[in-house]
Structure formats: structure tokens, C-alpha cells
Amino acid sequence: MLIFTADRIAEIQEAKKLGIETEIRNIDFNFIMERMRKVVRESQEHMRRELSYIENLDFYDSEGHFVDDYTSRLTVKK
């Protein structure tokens, strides 16, 4: 989502090459970040809902990382 926004800014900045004069007066970074967080939050909620319908699946709301080739370690969120 951040790359999409950055690409739009770059397109506006490059518009002069096409004969279009424009100016970026303000970039509301807080708005951009909140929009991104909202979409991520909604996506996570959707995935959790859909996972709840799958039989014989245990979902752990945690973060994990591999500690070797065949072992992962989970950190449960509090």
C-alpha cells in the first residue's frame, strides 16, 4: 500500500515530461499510514473469520520464526 502511494507521487512528479505541470503541496503521511493500517486490520480480521470455519485447524494468534531448518518458535501475543 505504501509503494502504491509512492508510485502515484512519482507519477505526479514525472508528469512534466508529458507536458503536465503540477505541484504536490502536501502529503498527509498520517492519513496514508492510517489507511494502510485499516486495510491490514480488516484483512487480518477477515482471515481470522475464515480460518474459524476450517475443521481440524488450530489457529494460534502469535508470531513465530525458524530457529533451525525444521523447528519454529512461537511467541504468544499477550
Side-chain angles (χ1 to χ4, degrees), residues 41-69:
R41 204 170 33 251
E42 289 171 353
S43 177
Q44 288 173 335
E45 291 168 3
H46 175 75
M47 285 190 289
R48 284 187 177 99
R49 267 193 316 275
E50 295 302 313
L51 287 172
S52 71
Y53 299 125
I54 300 173
E55 291 184 36
N56 300 319
L57 175 73
D58 294 324
F59 174 75
Y60 299 95
D61 190 9
S62 59
E63 295 178 8
H65 64 277
F66 288 100
V67 293
D68 65 36
D69 288 345

Side-chain angles (χ1 to χ4, degrees), residues 18-31:
L18 300 172
I20 302 168
E21 288 195 34
T22 185
E23 168 185 344
I24 297 173
R25 287 187 239 147
N26 180 44
I27 296 175
D28 188 343
F29 189 71
N30 288 329
F31 176 84

